[in-house]
Amino acid sequence: MSVSTTPVNSIVSFEKPRLQGLLDALKQAGYRVVGPRVADGAVVYDELDSIEQLPLGMIDEQDGGKYRLERDAAAGYFDHVVGPHSLKRYLFPPQETLQQLRLKDGDWHVEPPRVADTPLAVIGPRSCDLHAMAIQDRVFLEGPYVDPGYRARRERLFVVSVQCRRAAATCFCHSMKTGPRASRGFDLALTELDDCFVIEVGSERGGEVLASVAGWKTCSAATVDRATEQSVRLERSMNQRGAAENAPHAAKPRQLDTRDIRDLLLNNLDHPRWDEVAERCLSCANCTMVCPTCFCSSVSEVSDLTGEQVRRERTWASCFTAEHSFLSSGVVRNSTTARYRQWLTHKLATWIDQFDTSGCVGCGRCITWCPVGIDLTEEVAAIRETAK
Amino acid sequence: MNSQIQVAPTVDAANPWATHAVRIREIEPEVRDVVTYRLAFEDPAVAERFRFQPGQFNMLYLPGIGESAISISSDPDDPQRMLHTVRAVGNVTKAMARKQVGDQLLLRGPFGSAWPVDSCEGQDLVIAAGGLGLAPVRPVIHYVMNRRDRFGKVWLLYGARSPRDLLYTSQYDRWREADIDVQITVDLGDDQWDGHIGVVPVLFDRLQLDASRTRIITCGPEIMMRFVIAECLSQKIESKQIYLSMERNMNCALGFCGHCQLGPAFVCKDGPVFTHEQMEPYLDVQDF
Ligand SMILES: Cc1cc2nc3c(=O)[nH]c(=O)nc-3n(C[C@H](O)[C@H](O)[C@H](O)COP(=O)(O)OP(=O)(O)OC[C@H]3O[C@@H](n4cnc5c(N)ncnc54)[C@H](O)[C@@H]3O)c2cc1C
Ligand code: SF4
């Protein structure tokens, strides 16, 4: 009997080289496929044609201001964790056209932009990134207004997430309750074992695509257990971070105490630590660019030479710039102190008022990609220590 | 801030970037660099649907130049006669100042929270405005005049830098005739000026307010509103009976662009009108 779908929640497995079959099946189904690839010394998302392009045998060592790829003979296809890219760049792209207008006989005619290109499949997002996507869904889809571009791209996104079996020192999803194990928000979820991939079906679409991959078989209970155990082991080790002795030269594994964190930060808006961190902060905005949940943007006008054709472009913006809070009467947040405080209090405190969730998923990108290695977990701990 | 946001009938919640074409029907010079535009929707069906609440604003858009948040300054009971009072300060507003009657603009809106005029009924009302801050409260004055008997005492305390900066001077007599106690002050008088000199909060000194039944509506420079609020609190008016309108950079009016955040609030959708109770934790925090 031919099977046309694999039911939601079912768990199957295939031998590692069969992953190519999944890529092919996605392309067959009309998706443009992107996945993790090494470029300029980091794992980023890029077009994926072959599993040969995946960072097999690579791990990423991450720490404040540091990211280094290393070869590791024992590492599989997905033993790197998160790089500078996230799903954000596909759903809420760094630059996009909101509207196009044409002037005809003195009047403006608005033309809707070409929405959604080919549907996109992304291989590789981790649990933290799926939570980040759910957070951006709240911003762009679940408020009083819906962003049409985001919606079009979101509806057509196919996610093949990966269950982490290793965490970077900068990862603290266990503190934010966003990982390491992904339980929803994916179409398919891969767990990489030494001898095979275990695949969990998260949606009907996922089941349909999987059904067309040759060579999958129902997973034995023992294999399912091995996959689960791998996530459980990682989570356990992350939860023991506080207690474990840190090796002398190793990066300190992060964690964040989130107890009453909203009130902690909002009751300490005049804490001296804001000035201290501002002395180190370059206000470069890297943290906001790599953050998978930061959603600020600016809208600008692009005209042709005649001024008769106009595009409204939305580009990523950052609360670390003066322009962000510009008023003709003056810039509201006119110091790095005010800007860092805005970023951190938004991310960890006022986000909760706005969207009923923290804005931080514990992916640690802001720590890694900060040129001076500012670590939000450390900043919060310092404020907590001497809080009012 | 978990406020209940009502999407206006002229805004498409599923495509809130969509604009409506409007044409400038009248341009009324007000004071230096400030004019009032009367705008009319080109599509009669849109005009028919359009209504706004006092305190709400529109995004006025000049393609190729940009978009600005501008309060609606006219009578909410006559939404077809839609007025915007604009000060030319920068890129968009200066380009607008070069427009002429008959020119086309694009518009999205209305957006934002409103002065709680209906819940002020039965109460005394103090409207305290400074400078261009009179524009966003003028709809309140109209609302009151249209149903004057439903309000107790109503004061308008208004201040500007100099007599030449006072907005809407030709209308004060009509407002007074409607039993609104209009008190005007300027920071700096001139030869002809024989009214009050000083800032708006000083005008509170001479009012006999009944704190238990007085609502405050204030709009103007933040520093002015802070002093007005201090004055009201010292007269035992409760924090939740004081309403203010905040201004922050806006790129979308939809809660997407992030620029207008003020603590937990998005000024564009949770505001611009807030109670003092909502803003109190943040008003005095430097550079917040
Ligand atoms: C809720 C609300 C209601 C307003 N009502 C009025 C009104 O009735 N009349 C009026 O003249 N002005 C009003 N303003 C201010 C008006 O929006 C700005 O003066 C205008 O956007 C300046 O744009 P510009 O391009 O001319 O100036 P530029 O100096 O070139 O501004 C550059 C950009 O900064 C932002 N910006 C600058 N100043 C402000 C500001 N004060 N508020 C918000 N964004 C700003 C805008 O995004 C603008 O595109 C209101 C602002 C808000 C937030
Ligand atoms: S934060 Fe957690 S889910 Fe994200 S990459 Fe690190 S271990 Fe994986």
Side-chain angles (χ1 to χ4, degrees), chain A residues 329-374:
Chain A
S329 52
V331 173
V332 175
R333 290 185 281 276
N334 209 2
S335 66
T336 303
T337 303
R339 293 182 204 156
Y340 188 86
R341 180 181 62 189
Q342 170 62 23
W343 179 69
L344 198 71
T345 55
H346 183 217
K347 192 77 21 194
L348 297 174
T350 53
W351 210 295
I352 299 170
D353 298 271
Q354 296 169 346
F355 301 107
D356 257 336
T357 169
S358 174
C360 175
V361 294
C363 71
R365 287 181 177 91
C366 57
I367 306 174
T368 299
W369 298 99
C370 173
V372 295
I374 293 171

Short mmCIF file of all heavy atoms in Angstrom, two decimals, chain A residues 329-374:
data_model
loop_
_atom_site.label_atom_id
_atom_site.label_comp_id
_atom_site.label_asym_id
_atom_site.label_seq_id
_atom_site.Cartn_x
_atom_site.Cartn_y
_atom_site.Cartn_z
N SER A 329 12.04 67.97 18.42
CA SER A 329 12.43 68.71 19.62
C SER A 329 13.69 68.14 20.27
O SER A 329 14.18 68.69 21.25
CB SER A 329 11.28 68.70 20.62
OG SER A 329 10.85 67.36 20.83
N GLY A 330 14.20 67.04 19.75
CA GLY A 330 15.42 66.45 20.32
C GLY A 330 15.33 64.94 20.35
O GLY A 330 14.27 64.36 20.19
N VAL A 331 16.48 64.30 20.54
CA VAL A 331 16.53 62.84 20.61
C VAL A 331 16.15 62.43 22.04
O VAL A 331 16.68 62.97 23.00
CB VAL A 331 17.95 62.34 20.26
CG1 VAL A 331 18.08 60.84 20.50
CG2 VAL A 331 18.28 62.69 18.81
N VAL A 332 15.21 61.50 22.16
CA VAL A 332 14.76 61.12 23.51
C VAL A 332 15.86 60.36 24.25
O VAL A 332 16.19 60.68 25.38
CB VAL A 332 13.47 60.27 23.44
CG1 VAL A 332 13.07 59.78 24.84
CG2 VAL A 332 12.34 61.06 22.81
N ARG A 333 16.41 59.32 23.60
CA ARG A 333 17.45 58.53 24.27
C ARG A 333 18.81 58.94 23.71
O ARG A 333 19.32 58.35 22.78
CB ARG A 333 17.17 57.04 24.08
CG ARG A 333 15.96 56.61 24.89
CD ARG A 333 15.71 55.13 24.84
NE ARG A 333 15.05 54.71 23.62
CZ ARG A 333 13.74 54.73 23.42
NH1 ARG A 333 12.94 55.17 24.37
NH2 ARG A 333 13.24 54.34 22.27
N ASN A 334 19.32 59.99 24.33
CA ASN A 334 20.49 60.63 23.77
C ASN A 334 21.79 60.17 24.42
O ASN A 334 22.76 60.90 24.46
CB ASN A 334 20.34 62.14 23.89
CG ASN A 334 21.08 62.86 22.78
OD1 ASN A 334 21.67 62.22 21.91
ND2 ASN A 334 21.08 64.18 22.83
N SER A 335 21.81 58.96 24.97
CA SER A 335 23.06 58.46 25.56
C SER A 335 23.07 56.95 25.42
O SER A 335 22.02 56.32 25.28
CB SER A 335 23.12 58.83 27.04
OG SER A 335 22.09 58.15 27.74
N THR A 336 24.26 56.39 25.45
CA THR A 336 24.36 54.93 25.39
C THR A 336 23.71 54.31 26.62
O THR A 336 23.10 53.25 26.54
CB THR A 336 25.84 54.51 25.27
OG1 THR A 336 26.37 55.16 24.12
CG2 THR A 336 25.99 53.01 25.11
N THR A 337 23.81 54.98 27.74
CA THR A 337 23.14 54.50 28.96
C THR A 337 21.65 54.29 28.69
O THR A 337 21.10 53.23 28.96
CB THR A 337 23.29 55.53 30.10
OG1 THR A 337 24.68 55.78 30.31
CG2 THR A 337 22.65 55.05 31.38
N ALA A 338 21.03 55.32 28.14
CA ALA A 338 19.59 55.24 27.89
C ALA A 338 19.26 54.18 26.85
O ALA A 338 18.24 53.52 26.93
CB ALA A 338 19.07 56.60 27.43
N ARG A 339 20.15 54.02 25.88
CA ARG A 339 19.85 53.07 24.80
C ARG A 339 20.05 51.63 25.25
O ARG A 339 19.24 50.77 24.94
CB ARG A 339 20.71 53.37 23.57
CG ARG A 339 20.32 54.70 22.98
CD ARG A 339 21.11 55.02 21.75
NE ARG A 339 21.13 56.48 21.58
CZ ARG A 339 22.06 57.13 20.91
NH1 ARG A 339 23.05 56.48 20.34
NH2 ARG A 339 22.00 58.44 20.82
N TYR A 340 21.11 51.36 25.98
CA TYR A 340 21.29 49.98 26.48
C TYR A 340 20.15 49.64 27.43
O TYR A 340 19.58 48.55 27.38
CB TYR A 340 22.65 49.80 27.18
CG TYR A 340 22.89 48.33 27.50
CD1 TYR A 340 23.45 47.48 26.55
CD2 TYR A 340 22.45 47.78 28.70
CE1 TYR A 340 23.59 46.13 26.80
CE2 TYR A 340 22.58 46.42 28.96
CZ TYR A 340 23.16 45.60 28.01
OH TYR A 340 23.29 44.26 28.26
N ARG A 341 19.80 50.59 28.27
CA ARG A 341 18.70 50.35 29.21
C ARG A 341 17.40 50.08 28.46
O ARG A 341 16.62 49.19 28.83
CB ARG A 341 18.55 51.56 30.14
CG ARG A 341 17.45 51.41 31.16
CD ARG A 341 17.33 52.64 32.03
NE ARG A 341 16.98 53.82 31.24
CZ ARG A 341 16.97 55.07 31.71
NH1 ARG A 341 17.33 55.31 32.97
NH2 ARG A 341 16.63 56.07 30.94
N GLN A 342 17.17 50.83 27.40
CA GLN A 342 15.97 50.59 26.60
C GLN A 342 15.97 49.18 26.04
O GLN A 342 14.98 48.44 26.12
CB GLN A 342 15.89 51.60 25.44
CG GLN A 342 14.81 51.32 24.40
CD GLN A 342 13.40 51.35 24.97
OE1 GLN A 342 13.17 51.97 26.00
NE2 GLN A 342 12.46 50.67 24.34
N TRP A 343 17.12 48.77 25.49
CA TRP A 343 17.18 47.46 24.86
C TRP A 343 16.92 46.36 25.89
O TRP A 343 16.08 45.49 25.71
CB TRP A 343 18.55 47.25 24.20
CG TRP A 343 18.66 45.89 23.56
CD1 TRP A 343 17.99 45.45 22.47
CD2 TRP A 343 19.46 44.80 24.01
NE1 TRP A 343 18.33 44.15 22.21
CE2 TRP A 343 19.23 43.72 23.13
CE3 TRP A 343 20.36 44.63 25.07
CZ2 TRP A 343 19.86 42.49 23.28
CZ3 TRP A 343 20.98 43.41 25.21
CH2 TRP A 343 20.74 42.35 24.32
N LEU A 344 17.64 46.42 27.00
CA LEU A 344 17.53 45.33 27.96
C LEU A 344 16.18 45.33 28.67
O LEU A 344 15.59 44.26 28.87
CB LEU A 344 18.67 45.40 28.99
CG LEU A 344 18.88 44.09 29.72
CD1 LEU A 344 19.49 43.06 28.78
CD2 LEU A 344 19.75 44.27 30.94
N THR A 345 15.69 46.51 29.02
CA THR A 345 14.39 46.52 29.71
C THR A 345 13.27 46.12 28.75
O THR A 345 12.29 45.51 29.16
CB THR A 345 14.05 47.89 30.33
OG1 THR A 345 14.13 48.89 29.32
CG2 THR A 345 14.99 48.23 31.48
N HIS A 346 13.43 46.46 27.47
CA HIS A 346 12.41 46.01 26.54
C HIS A 346 12.46 44.49 26.42
O HIS A 346 11.47 43.79 26.62
CB HIS A 346 12.58 46.67 25.16
CG HIS A 346 11.49 46.28 24.20
ND1 HIS A 346 11.71 46.06 22.87
CD2 HIS A 346 10.17 46.05 24.40
CE1 HIS A 346 10.56 45.73 22.29
NE2 HIS A 346 9.61 45.70 23.19
N LYS A 347 13.64 44.00 26.13
CA LYS A 347 13.80 42.56 25.89
C LYS A 347 13.29 41.72 27.06
O LYS A 347 12.59 40.72 26.86
CB LYS A 347 15.30 42.31 25.65
CG LYS A 347 15.67 40.98 25.12
CD LYS A 347 15.44 40.71 23.66
CE LYS A 347 15.31 41.81 22.69
NZ LYS A 347 14.78 41.41 21.38
N LEU A 348 13.65 42.10 28.25
CA LEU A 348 13.41 41.22 29.40
C LEU A 348 12.24 41.65 30.29
O LEU A 348 11.81 40.88 31.13
CB LEU A 348 14.67 41.13 30.27
CG LEU A 348 15.91 40.51 29.60
CD1 LEU A 348 17.11 40.61 30.52
CD2 LEU A 348 15.65 39.05 29.23
N ALA A 349 11.78 42.90 30.13
CA ALA A 349 10.74 43.37 31.06
C ALA A 349 9.48 43.85 30.33
O ALA A 349 8.43 43.19 30.39
CB ALA A 349 11.30 44.49 31.94
N THR A 350 9.57 44.96 29.60
CA THR A 350 8.33 45.52 29.03
C THR A 350 7.75 44.65 27.92
O THR A 350 6.57 44.73 27.61
CB THR A 350 8.56 46.96 28.51
OG1 THR A 350 9.66 46.97 27.60
CG2 THR A 350 8.85 47.90 29.65
N TRP A 351 8.60 43.78 27.34
CA TRP A 351 8.10 42.81 26.36
C TRP A 351 6.99 41.97 26.99
O TRP A 351 6.00 41.60 26.33
CB TRP A 351 9.26 41.92 25.92
CG TRP A 351 9.15 41.39 24.53
CD1 TRP A 351 8.21 40.53 24.05
CD2 TRP A 351 10.03 41.68 23.44
NE1 TRP A 351 8.46 40.27 22.72
CE2 TRP A 351 9.57 40.95 22.33
CE3 TRP A 351 11.18 42.48 23.31
CZ2 TRP A 351 10.22 41.00 21.08
CZ3 TRP A 351 11.81 42.51 22.08
CH2 TRP A 351 11.33 41.78 20.98
N ILE A 352 7.16 41.68 28.26
CA ILE A 352 6.16 40.86 28.96
C ILE A 352 4.82 41.61 29.01
O ILE A 352 3.76 41.03 28.78
CB ILE A 352 6.66 40.49 30.37
CG1 ILE A 352 7.97 39.68 30.24
CG2 ILE A 352 5.60 39.73 31.16
CD1 ILE A 352 8.69 39.46 31.56
N ASP A 353 4.86 42.93 29.29
CA ASP A 353 3.62 43.72 29.28
C ASP A 353 3.01 43.72 27.89
O ASP A 353 1.80 43.64 27.73
CB ASP A 353 3.91 45.18 29.65
CG ASP A 353 4.49 45.33 31.05
OD1 ASP A 353 3.69 45.47 31.97
OD2 ASP A 353 5.72 45.29 31.21
N GLN A 354 3.86 43.85 26.89
CA GLN A 354 3.36 44.03 25.52
C GLN A 354 2.84 42.74 24.90
O GLN A 354 1.85 42.73 24.19
CB GLN A 354 4.48 44.58 24.63
CG GLN A 354 4.95 45.96 25.04
CD GLN A 354 6.23 46.39 24.31
OE1 GLN A 354 6.90 45.57 23.69
NE2 GLN A 354 6.55 47.67 24.40
N PHE A 355 3.56 41.65 25.13
CA PHE A 355 3.27 40.43 24.37
C PHE A 355 3.11 39.20 25.25
O PHE A 355 3.10 38.08 24.75
CB PHE A 355 4.37 40.19 23.33
CG PHE A 355 4.52 41.31 22.34
CD1 PHE A 355 5.61 42.16 22.39
CD2 PHE A 355 3.54 41.54 21.39
CE1 PHE A 355 5.75 43.21 21.49
CE2 PHE A 355 3.66 42.59 20.49
CZ PHE A 355 4.77 43.42 20.54
N ASP A 356 3.05 39.41 26.56
CA ASP A 356 2.84 38.27 27.46
C ASP A 356 3.95 37.23 27.37
O ASP A 356 3.70 36.04 27.62
CB ASP A 356 1.52 37.57 27.13
CG ASP A 356 0.46 37.94 28.14
OD1 ASP A 356 0.84 38.32 29.25
OD2 ASP A 356 -0.74 37.84 27.80
N THR A 357 5.12 37.63 26.99
CA THR A 357 6.24 36.71 26.92
C THR A 357 7.52 37.53 27.02
O THR A 357 7.52 38.71 26.67
CB THR A 357 6.25 35.93 25.59
OG1 THR A 357 7.50 35.23 25.47
CG2 THR A 357 6.11 36.84 24.37
N SER A 358 8.57 36.90 27.47
CA SER A 358 9.86 37.58 27.41
C SER A 358 10.23 37.77 25.95
O SER A 358 9.81 37.01 25.08
CB SER A 358 10.92 36.73 28.11
OG SER A 358 12.20 37.32 27.94
N GLY A 359 11.06 38.76 25.68
CA GLY A 359 11.57 38.94 24.32
C GLY A 359 12.88 38.22 24.11
O GLY A 359 13.48 38.31 23.05
N CYS A 360 13.33 37.49 25.13
CA CYS A 360 14.61 36.78 25.04
C CYS A 360 14.34 35.29 25.02
O CYS A 360 13.57 34.77 25.82
CB CYS A 360 15.49 37.13 26.24
SG CYS A 360 17.03 36.18 26.27
N VAL A 361 15.01 34.59 24.08
CA VAL A 361 14.84 33.15 23.99
C VAL A 361 16.10 32.42 24.43
O VAL A 361 16.17 31.19 24.33
CB VAL A 361 14.43 32.71 22.57
CG1 VAL A 361 13.04 33.24 22.24
CG2 VAL A 361 15.46 33.16 21.54
N GLY A 362 17.09 33.17 24.88
CA GLY A 362 18.30 32.52 25.42
C GLY A 362 19.22 31.94 24.37
O GLY A 362 20.01 31.05 24.68
N CYS A 363 19.17 32.44 23.14
CA CYS A 363 20.02 31.89 22.09
C CYS A 363 21.46 32.37 22.21
O CYS A 363 22.37 31.79 21.60
CB CYS A 363 19.49 32.25 20.70
SG CYS A 363 19.66 34.00 20.26
N GLY A 364 21.66 33.45 22.96
CA GLY A 364 23.01 33.93 23.23
C GLY A 364 23.69 34.67 22.09
O GLY A 364 24.85 35.08 22.20
N ARG A 365 22.98 34.91 20.98
CA ARG A 365 23.62 35.59 19.85
C ARG A 365 24.15 36.97 20.24
O ARG A 365 25.21 37.38 19.79
CB ARG A 365 22.63 35.73 18.69
CG ARG A 365 22.32 34.44 17.94
CD ARG A 365 21.34 34.74 16.81
NE ARG A 365 21.04 33.59 15.98
CZ ARG A 365 20.02 32.76 16.19
NH1 ARG A 365 19.22 32.93 17.24
NH2 ARG A 365 19.79 31.75 15.36
N CYS A 366 23.37 37.68 21.06
CA CYS A 366 23.80 39.05 21.40
C CYS A 366 25.11 39.03 22.18
O CYS A 366 25.89 39.99 22.13
CB CYS A 366 22.71 39.77 22.19
SG CYS A 366 22.21 38.92 23.70
N ILE A 367 25.36 37.94 22.91
CA ILE A 367 26.61 37.84 23.68
C ILE A 367 27.76 37.57 22.71
O ILE A 367 28.80 38.22 22.75
CB ILE A 367 26.50 36.69 24.71
CG1 ILE A 367 25.26 36.88 25.60
CG2 ILE A 367 27.77 36.59 25.53
CD1 ILE A 367 24.99 35.71 26.55
N THR A 368 27.56 36.60 21.85
CA THR A 368 28.60 36.19 20.92
C THR A 368 28.99 37.30 19.95
O THR A 368 30.17 37.52 19.70
CB THR A 368 28.10 34.98 20.10
OG1 THR A 368 27.82 33.91 20.99
CG2 THR A 368 29.13 34.54 19.07
N TRP A 369 28.00 38.00 19.43
CA TRP A 369 28.28 38.95 18.35
C TRP A 369 28.50 40.37 18.83
O TRP A 369 28.67 41.28 18.03
CB TRP A 369 27.20 38.86 17.28
CG TRP A 369 27.20 37.48 16.69
CD1 TRP A 369 26.36 36.45 17.03
CD2 TRP A 369 28.15 36.94 15.76
NE1 TRP A 369 26.72 35.31 16.35
CE2 TRP A 369 27.81 35.58 15.57
CE3 TRP A 369 29.24 37.47 15.07
CZ2 TRP A 369 28.54 34.74 14.71
CZ3 TRP A 369 29.96 36.64 14.21
CH2 TRP A 369 29.61 35.29 14.04
N CYS A 370 28.52 40.54 20.15
CA CYS A 370 28.88 41.86 20.70
C CYS A 370 30.39 42.03 20.54
O CYS A 370 31.15 41.21 21.04
CB CYS A 370 28.50 41.95 22.17
SG CYS A 370 29.11 43.47 22.93
N PRO A 371 30.83 43.09 19.88
CA PRO A 371 32.28 43.23 19.65
C PRO A 371 33.07 43.33 20.95
O PRO A 371 34.26 43.01 20.96
CB PRO A 371 32.40 44.49 18.80
CG PRO A 371 31.08 45.15 18.82
CD PRO A 371 30.06 44.14 19.23
N VAL A 372 32.42 43.77 22.02
CA VAL A 372 33.17 43.85 23.28
C VAL A 372 32.68 42.81 24.30
O VAL A 372 33.05 42.86 25.47
CB VAL A 372 33.13 45.28 23.88
CG1 VAL A 372 33.86 46.25 22.96
CG2 VAL A 372 31.70 45.75 24.12
N GLY A 373 31.86 41.89 23.82
CA GLY A 373 31.48 40.77 24.67
C GLY A 373 30.57 41.10 25.84
O GLY A 373 30.60 40.43 26.87
N ILE A 374 29.74 42.11 25.70
CA ILE A 374 28.78 42.40 26.77
C ILE A 374 27.79 41.24 26.84
O ILE A 374 27.31 40.74 25.82
CB ILE A 374 28.06 43.74 26.53
CG1 ILE A 374 29.08 44.89 26.67
CG2 ILE A 374 26.91 43.93 27.52
CD1 ILE A 374 28.54 46.24 26.25
#
